[in-house]
Amino acid sequence: MTSKYQALPKGVSEARFDAAIKKFSAALGADQVLTSAEHLRPYTKVMMAVPDARHQPSAVVTATSVEQVQAVVKICNEYKIPVWTISTGRNFGYGSAAPVERGQIVLDLKKMNKILHIDPELCTALVEPGVTYQMLYDYIEEHKLPLMLSFSAPSAIAGPVGNTMDRGVGYTPYGEHFLMQCGMELVLANGDVLRTGMGGVKGDKAWQVFKWGYGPTLDGMFTQSNYGICTKMGFWLMPKPPVFKPFEIKFDHEADINEIVEMLRPLRIANIIPNAVVIAGTLWEAATCGVRRSDYITEPGATPDSVLAQIRKDKHLGAWNVYCALYGSPEQVEVNWKIVTETIKRAGKGKIVTQEEAGDTQPFKYRAQLMSGVPNLQEFGLYNWRGGGGSMWFAPVSQARGSECDKQYALAKKILNKHGLDYVGEFIVGWRDMHHVIDVLYDRSSEEETKRANACFNELLDEFEQEGYAVYRVNTAFQERVANSYGPVKRSVERKIKRALDPNGILSPGKSGINI
Amino acid sequence: MSNDRRFVLKGLAAAGLLAAMPWAQANTSAAAALADAAVADAAARVTPLVSGGALDAAFLAGVRKAMGQPTGALVNPPLQGLEAATYQQLNQLLNDDTPTLLVGLLDDAAAILVLDLVRSAGGRVLSVEQHRIGQGSAGQQWAGALGQALVAGAGAAVAAGRGQENGNAYVALRCVI
């Protein structure tokens, strides 16, 4: 059956949707309600190995205030319209701006983009969802504040609210972003406005400095979930250190991963190296410094090891390339640098590259920028490795043990190569964990390759689960599948909470597999 | 066209009212005409986008030809790559109030950034297509034809480059901002 809309919400007739659209227009202004194919097209552009149509929104509405968000929620309840909320919509590896299910309307909060407060003494910030890291960076620079940001790689155009709500990570000592979050404001499905932590106390000034408040601490349940719409978020900023010393350690062999992790873990846990260390594989490095697969090989399928070796040689890359930084006073950095260099010397392998030696070469330059809170867009080079617009991030976590990383790397490479795709991955070292991030890159303009990529992603999930691993985050096409990895009891609890808070199931139904 | 009319047209287009206002179906032909007028208005100010590829020159020549400027500089110089300066320039372009037709032949990295910035600016994506094109003379010809076709709004040349498995990946796009 044809409709004048690009899609309709599940179970909602066109006439009913007409009425809802009319109400959205009255509440928000007609210019904040979009239904045309030309406006919805960029909201539908996904990089996942499934048809676009599965993620086609029916409309996009934008809000400029908490009151307008409340109005949207009210109309959605009245007409049973599911609403998928985005802040900047730049969650590229995990679903972009498109909704998890066809027909949902998108609530785009890009226009709620006020930096509400930055306290340079307490080193805290309070922002709206549309604020990007670039906006924050510009503000900090303009006001000459002695503060440093932490962000994910799409830094300039992504934002702290979306990244933190999806439990994204960055590359500075404040890289575990949810850990640095302090205070949220949320519009609930019934229109109530909840402030977490100290935010509910009249006259309180500690909202952005004391996370826990009183009674149950609720912030975590609103991340990677669909229990509320975050309209403000507080977080901590790192004081800009007097000395920042980035460095790289290159390792020649893939088999070195075990020793690398065993060597770095004690330094990381003891905060000798305080930032989220990255251990990047050859192809991640190559792609981010402008190498394309077609520069070396035109045959389809997995890139042979001989080609990887040639790329390493040509571009002076390691099989593993470790990026770390030291922060602090000159004395602190000097002491820690001595500990780091002696540790590497003792290991008998690994070549240290300092900033002075690297100069402005990529990928060192952008890595140093990420570790020092300077936004850039260099990592988008990944999408040019194969080209064709296909990208799905597979992100299993593990203990920070060499044996675990070795095992995960071997398993991932075997499965990817079996499906004719490449291992383009990195490990991000948390305090005690590893986020193993693999970009499953494929040519989405090829139907055959897209099918292979889909099969590959399913096999990665299945085989890793067999070995006791699960991903910490996944794109919208696989969220229902991944929810099962965490067991039926968790799913049941999540559903009960959903039914209690959102009885009509209007807020992002299907997000993380959560439905009423 | 007056600035007021241009503003109204851009406002209507931005609101999605020109082609999709559900309760104004009785006037769809008028709405379509207005939409076409908005695109035509934007077409007076064309900004080409390229990303440092082998087909850039041919593509830009095609754009010039379609605009009646077969030689010399374009009125709006091309934006190239996505270094910080390009990003700033594109943002400025997206946020001024003058209707502009963006036509691009980009690599995937640049295309995803451009499309998302257009989305955030409330722009309209008229077409976006993936292609694989070789770098030989056929590729150059294709890129020239594409440049012309995107400015003129024709689709035939756009489709011509599909299906070359061993070529380089490109994204062709046409947006009104």
Side-chain angles (χ1 to χ4, degrees):
Chain A
M1 196 170 127
T2 57
S3 166
K4 60 179 170 283
Y5 295 105
Q6 305 305 306
L8 284 169
K10 203 188 299 180
V12 176
S13 70
E14 185 163 316
R16 192 171 176 81
F17 197 55
D18 282 348
I21 290 288
K22 201 167 183 177
K23 282 219 171 173
F24 285 129
S25 298
L28 307 172
D31 63 337
Q32 295 199 82
V33 183
L34 309 175
T35 58
S36 77
E38 292 157 0
H39 278 117
L40 299 196
R41 193 167 285 132
Y43 286 90
T44 313
K45 180 153 179 54
V46 296
M47 306 175 85
M48 305 172 293
V50 294
D52 288 356
R54 285 193 201 170
H55 299 275
Q56 170 71 53
S58 52
V60 173
V61 299
T62 55
T64 56
S65 66
V66 172
E67 291 74 20
Q68 286 197 342
V69 174
Q70 290 174 297
V72 168
V73 165
K74 188 178 175 192
I75 297 164
C76 287
N77 270 310
E78 187 181 349
Y79 291 93
K80 308 285 189 293
I81 307 287
V83 54
W84 178 260
T85 305
I86 60 171
S87 48
T88 65
R90 271 72 183 259
N91 207 3
F92 291 114
Y94 299 104
S96 309
V100 68
E101 288 173 11
R102 179 178 174 80
Q104 297 180 343
I105 68 164
V106 173
L107 170 59
D108 189 342
L109 300 181
K110 65 188 178 186
K111 294 178 182 171
M112 292 178 69
N113 59 3
K114 288 195 277 296
I115 297 170
L116 298 166
H117 187 63
I118 291 186
D119 188 321
E121 290 162 357
L122 292 168
C123 305
T124 63
L126 180 67
V127 301
E128 290 187 329
V131 170
T132 64
Y133 286 115
Q134 184 71 51
M135 291 165 68
L136 271 171
Y137 180 79
D138 291 345
Y139 182 96
I140 287 169
E141 289 292 298
E142 186 186 336
H143 293 85
K144 297 184 170 46
L145 303 179
L147 300 168
M148 201 176 89
L149 293 170
S150 174
F151 37 66
S152 56
S155 51
I157 58 173
V161 173
N163 186 269
T164 305
M165 295 303 281
D166 210 37
R167 296 204 293 269
V169 295
Y171 303 93
T172 74
Y174 280 37
E176 183 63 83
H177 293 161
F178 179 55
L179 198 62
M180 299 302 156
Q181 175 270 334
C182 193
M184 288 177 190
E185 178 186 88
L186 302 124
V187 174
L188 304 180
N190 66 359
D192 283 352
V193 176
L194 168 70
R195 289 189 170 188
T196 64
M198 300 301 290
V201 180
K202 205 172 175 182
D204 172 76
K205 292 178 183 169
W207 193 24
Q208 267 64 69
V209 296
F210 183 65
K211 293 154 81 81
W212 318 120
Y214 175 77
T217 295
L218 301 174
D219 302 57
M221 68 178 258
F222 290 101
T223 63
Q224 286 194 8
S225 79
N226 50 14
Y227 300 142
I229 296 171
C230 184
T231 48
K232 291 182 184 69
M233 192 191 79
F235 58 102
W236 296 342
L237 296 162
M238 183 173 158
K240 199 168 191 171
V243 176
F244 163 66
K245 185 176 180 62
F247 60 98
E248 180 188 3
I249 319 165
K250 289 181 186 178
F251 293 84
D252 292 334
H253 305 290
E254 291 178 1
D256 291 338
I257 185 68
N258 192 326
E259 285 171 86
I260 295 168
V261 175
E262 291 301 310
M263 181 171 65
L264 289 175
R265 186 187 55 243
L267 301 177
R268 179 74 182 97
I269 291 180
N271 262 346
I272 304 296
I273 298 174
N275 71 315
V277 171
V278 168
I279 308 169
T282 299
L283 290 184
W284 194 291
E285 291 286 276
T288 55
C289 66
V291 177
R292 295 168 196 228
R293 188 175 183 277
S294 57
D295 297 341
Y296 282 86
I297 185 168
T298 53
E299 286 75 30
T303 307
D305 284 349
S306 58
V307 172
L308 300 190
Q310 190 61 48
I311 293 173
R312 279 178 207 136
K313 189 177 169 196
D314 293 349
K315 305 295 174 186
H316 311 291
L317 302 173
W320 294 108
N321 307 270
V322 180
Y323 292 94
C324 328
L326 303 180
Y327 307 76
S329 68
E331 296 82 3
Q332 286 172 312
V333 169
E334 188 182 341
V335 167
N336 287 335
W337 180 241
K338 191 163 182 283
I339 296 170
V340 168
T341 49
E342 284 177 358
T343 302
I344 294 164
K345 194 175 172 188
R346 269 200 307 276
K349 57 174 71 172
K351 179 180 181 296
I352 294 180
V353 179
T354 63
Q355 190 166 31
E356 294 73 25
E357 289 162 340
D360 267 351
T361 56
Q362 295 288 13
F364 188 100
K365 183 183 174 184
Y366 98 90
R367 288 290 186 184
Q369 287 178 325
L370 288 180
M371 291 189 291
S372 61
V374 179
N376 65 79
L377 299 166
Q378 188 70 22
E379 205 160 285
F380 280 81
L382 285 169
Y383 301 133
N384 290 335
W385 167 247
R386 267 180 196 268
S391 165
M392 297 184 288
W393 291 50
F394 176 70
V397 290
S398 75
Q399 295 178 329
R401 289 188 198 281
S403 56
E404 292 285 290
C405 297
D406 205 9
K407 185 175 162 187
Q408 281 207 356
Y409 167 63
L411 185 58
K413 187 172 177 181
K414 184 183 85 177
I415 295 167
L416 284 153
N417 286 177
K418 175 184 155 189
H419 291 275
L421 302 172
D422 296 321
Y423 175 84
V424 183
E426 66 176 17
F427 290 93
I428 303 171
V429 189
W431 267 335
R432 290 161 179 82
D433 69 282
M434 286 286 191
H435 290 56
H436 186 186
V437 180
I438 300 164
D439 198 350
V440 180
L441 294 164
Y442 65 99
D443 182 355
R444 199 165 179 271
S445 67
S446 157
E447 197 177 327
E448 187 274 328
E449 191 158 312
T450 302
K451 277 185 187 162
R452 265 193 283 127
N454 185 295
C456 177
F457 206 86
N458 273 301
E459 189 170 336
L460 283 166
L461 289 168
D462 292 345
E463 291 296 313
F464 272 67
E465 191 172 308
Q466 287 282 323
E467 298 296 326
Y469 301 120
V471 298
Y472 83 103
R473 195 177 177 195
V474 78
N475 68 61
T476 47
F478 291 88
Q479 290 187 349
E480 171 69 22
R481 158 70 184 81
V482 169
N484 287 329
S485 302
Y486 285 82
V489 176
K490 182 167 185 288
R491 294 206 73 175
S492 170
V493 170
E494 288 167 349
R495 173 167 283 201
K496 284 171 187 159
I497 295 171
K498 181 68 173 168
R499 285 175 175 168
L501 290 179
D502 181 11
N504 290 324
I506 57 156
L507 299 183
S508 302
K511 168 82 177 171
S512 297
I514 304 169
N515 279 294
I516 55 171
Chain B
M1 184 177 285
S2 73
N3 282 341
D4 283 350
R5 175 165 162 68
R6 185 175 289 136
F7 179 78
V8 169
L9 283 173
K10 190 173 184 187
L12 286 170
L17 297 179
L18 293 180
M21 193 170 171
W23 57 95
Q25 294 301 303
N27 202 17
T28 47
S29 59
L34 278 172
D36 290 345
V39 174
D41 189 33
R45 187 186 183 216
V46 176
T47 298
L49 296 161
V50 289
S51 49
L55 303 180
D56 287 2
F59 175 75
L60 292 172
V63 172
R64 277 194 204 95
K65 194 170 176 186
M67 296 189 69
Q69 303 168 2
T71 56
L74 289 159
V75 175
N76 295 300
L79 301 180
Q80 187 161 343
L82 270 169
E83 295 299 318
T86 307
Y87 170 72
Q88 298 276 7
Q89 206 181 341
L90 184 58
N91 258 336
Q92 278 176 8
L93 202 63
L94 292 169
N95 291 308
D96 78 12
D97 281 333
T98 312
T100 302
L101 181 66
L102 281 181
V103 294
L105 180 61
L106 299 167
D107 61 33
D108 281 279
I112 193 162
L113 284 163
V114 169
L115 282 171
D116 221 67
L117 293 175
V118 169
R119 175 179 67 75
S120 287
R124 302 161 61 200
V125 178
L126 306 177
S127 69
V128 53
E129 294 281 349
Q130 294 278 164
H131 300 280
R132 279 208 178 262
I133 307 294
Q135 293 180 17
S137 59
Q140 302 285 335
Q141 278 179 7
W142 174 85
L146 176 74
Q148 289 186 66
L150 289 180
V151 174
V158 181
R162 291 176 190 161
Q164 296 184 16
E165 280 188 6
N166 293 331
N168 287 330
Y170 289 95
V171 179
L173 54 85
R174 184 168 190 261
C175 312
V176 174
I177 55 172

